[in-house]
Amino acid sequence: MSPARGSETVISVHGLKNSFGEQIVHDGLDLEVKRGEIFGVVGGSGTGKSVLMRSIIGLQVPDEGEITVFGENTVDREETEATNIRKRWGVLFQGGALFSTLTVAENTQVPLREFYPELDEALLDEIAAYKVVMTGLSPDAGPKYPAELSGGMRKRAGLARALALDPELLFLDEPTAGLDPIGAAAFDELIASLQKTMGLTVFLITHDLDTLYAICDRVAVLADQKVIAVGTIDELLALDHPWIQEYFKGPRGRAATATLKRARQHEKTAEQTAGSAADKTADKTGASD
């Protein structure tokens, strides 16, 4: 979990409506994300999780509604008008969305070249190399092409590109989808670590219950064309909405809860052991004096 979140609202969505023809995806959707939190977004298939993210970052023009990021409107703005705000966020799309004809390093440099065309090649190479290593990839991954990488490595390469501009806000769309449990857990740990070291606000779309339990401060549930609930996992578990109950208290939900309880018990035991060792050291020091 991230440190205590601030009171500043980073993302604000009010009265959002999205539709495709006669299919209404969102209708009257409201949402607020606070600075410094890892904010999870869940919902069933077709509830428009990715459409919501695309609306926030300006790739989807909604039918109705207001969206602000860092206090600035993002709805239906010209690309040139949104340049300054776009510098302040990074996006990891599903699957990494890497350019197949560019190397990992070249993919990482794409936003740098777009927003800072005056940077020389040596500095671009240095920044890209740093971002690649920051995401847990080895330095020799930089010259490789996406086709030469595993699924997990492609995710990390996509994350390196998302972090290229040192953003304040990070959007992640199903970052652990397709990863094995060990790889998914490692990616969760990476996101939590980066959030702390970089002071990120994270908007995280996922269906992975382990991710929700492990790193999310609050979770928004999409259903019935709206956000029907926002809260901590414990707060959501107290609600009686049928989808929430089925999702969080089904077999996978129970397994995630058990995993979290074991992790918390392990942390508690480790803290107690460390405290006991410190007390013994203090006792020995006092005795020698």
Side-chain angles (χ1 to χ4, degrees):
M1 297 291 182
S2 61
R5 61 180 182 272
S7 59
E8 178 188 353
T9 299
V10 172
I11 300 172
S12 177
V13 181
H14 292 292
L16 184 69
K17 181 177 180 180
N18 276 306
S19 63
F20 298 95
E22 296 182 356
Q23 180 187 3
I24 298 176
V25 180
H26 304 136
D27 192 5
L29 185 150
D30 298 320
L31 181 72
E32 287 193 348
V33 179
K34 302 297 184 180
R35 180 175 290 277
E37 69 177 334
I38 299 180
F39 188 87
V41 178
V42 299
S45 178
T47 54
K49 300 181 292 296
S50 295
V51 174
L52 171 60
M53 187 190 83
R54 290 173 62 85
S55 297
I56 294 171
I57 64 178
L59 296 180
Q60 170 78 26
V61 179
D63 302 331
E64 299 175 10
E66 299 177 356
I67 302 173
T68 61
V69 180
F70 300 118
E72 292 191 36
N73 170 53
T74 64
V75 176
D76 202 17
R77 297 184 66 178
E78 293 292 334
E79 188 172 342
T80 53
E81 294 178 335
T83 297
N84 288 334
I85 192 171
R86 288 173 56 220
K87 289 180 181 179
R88 300 174 68 182
W89 70 52
V91 184
L92 173 61
F93 294 99
Q94 289 190 38
L98 299 172
F99 295 105
S100 61
T101 58
L102 301 181
T103 65
V104 169
E106 290 168 342
N107 267 283
T108 304
Q109 293 171 6
V110 167
L112 294 165
R113 292 182 185 276
E114 177 183 0
F115 292 106
Y116 300 100
E118 72 280 3
L119 293 180
D120 61 48
E121 292 297 321
L123 184 54
L124 286 169
D125 290 342
E126 183 178 343
I127 294 173
Y130 175 70
K131 298 301 180 181
V132 167
V133 173
M134 178 189 289
T135 61
L137 291 171
S138 64
D140 61 9
K144 294 183 178 180
Y145 288 91
E148 301 176 274
L149 306 177
S150 67
M153 293 174 70
R154 283 194 292 272
K155 301 265 190 180
R156 290 175 184 259
L159 181 60
R161 183 177 63 189
L163 296 173
L165 300 176
D166 289 333
E168 301 169 56
L169 173 60
L170 181 62
F171 292 93
L172 305 174
D173 192 355
E174 298 284 6
T176 59
L179 300 183
D180 62 74
I182 295 175
F187 202 93
D188 289 341
E189 291 175 5
L190 173 63
I191 295 302
S193 175
L194 290 170
Q195 188 281 328
K196 292 176 182 177
T197 57
M198 300 180 69
L200 294 167
T201 301
V202 182
F203 183 94
L204 169 64
I205 297 172
T206 187
H207 68 277
D208 192 329
L209 281 161
D210 288 332
T211 297
L212 295 174
Y213 276 86
I215 66 173
C216 289
D217 298 295
R218 294 192 301 152
V219 178
V221 180
L222 269 61
D224 306 325
Q225 303 172 344
K226 296 177 174 63
V227 172
I228 61 169
V230 179
T232 64
I233 296 292
D234 289 340
E235 289 169 344
L236 294 178
L237 287 172
L239 301 177
D240 60 1
H241 190 281
W243 191 89
I244 294 175
Q245 289 294 314
E246 182 179 359
Y247 185 76
F248 286 100
K249 292 189 176 180
R252 293 183 64 196
R254 291 194 297 271
T257 302
T259 299
L260 180 64
K261 287 181 178 178
R262 287 195 297 270
R264 287 176 174 173
Q265 182 59 46
H266 178 74
E267 291 175 358
K268 184 178 180 181
T269 301
E271 290 174 358
Q272 291 173 341
T273 301
S276 177
D279 291 341
K280 290 180 180 179
T281 300
D283 291 342
K284 288 180 180 179
T285 302
S288 62
D289 291 343

